[in-house]
Amino acid sequence: MTDDARINDIYLRLNELTEDVATLKIQAGTIGTSQVAIARTVTLATGLASDMREVKADIRQVKADIRNIDASIEEILRLLRDRNNPSA
């Protein structure tokens, strides 16, 4: 192989390596960006799950309060009926 052929071969290989490195940089950037996006999504999902647990607890409390109010109203109505109906 002549010197010119060797130099051309080296340049060809160097160009291929340069392309491979550029491709790897793009892939690494994409993977890094994807990892950040996934981490943010997981963080948001975890926060939302925590918020939903609090909302569910609040809803359970509101339901319990409504049941207590219903019972109180029933008791008030019973007392009013008894008061208006002394013979009962």
Side-chain angles (χ1 to χ4, degrees):
M1 197 184 259
T2 65
D3 287 342
D4 287 342
R6 286 183 185 158
I7 291 174
N8 285 336
D9 185 51
I10 289 171
Y11 277 121
L12 180 64
R13 289 181 184 188
L14 183 60
N15 286 335
E16 288 174 356
L17 286 173
T18 303
E19 288 176 18
D20 289 344
V21 168
T23 301
L24 286 172
K25 283 181 180 180
I26 290 169
Q27 288 175 350
T30 302
I31 290 168
T33 303
S34 297
Q35 288 174 338
V36 169
I38 290 167
R40 287 181 182 163
T41 303
V42 169
T43 300
L44 286 173
T46 303
L48 288 173
S50 175
D51 291 347
M52 287 307 299
R53 282 191 290 276
E54 290 178 22
V55 168
K56 283 183 173 182
D58 290 346
I59 290 171
R60 283 189 204 101
Q61 184 59 50
V62 167
K63 285 181 176 180
D65 292 346
I66 289 171
R67 283 191 292 273
N68 290 337
I69 290 170
D70 284 346
S72 297
I73 290 171
E74 288 298 322
E75 180 64 15
I76 291 168
L77 290 173
R78 186 190 65 75
L79 291 170
L80 288 172
R81 278 192 226 99
D82 288 350
R83 184 174 163 201
N84 289 333
N85 232 350
S87 61

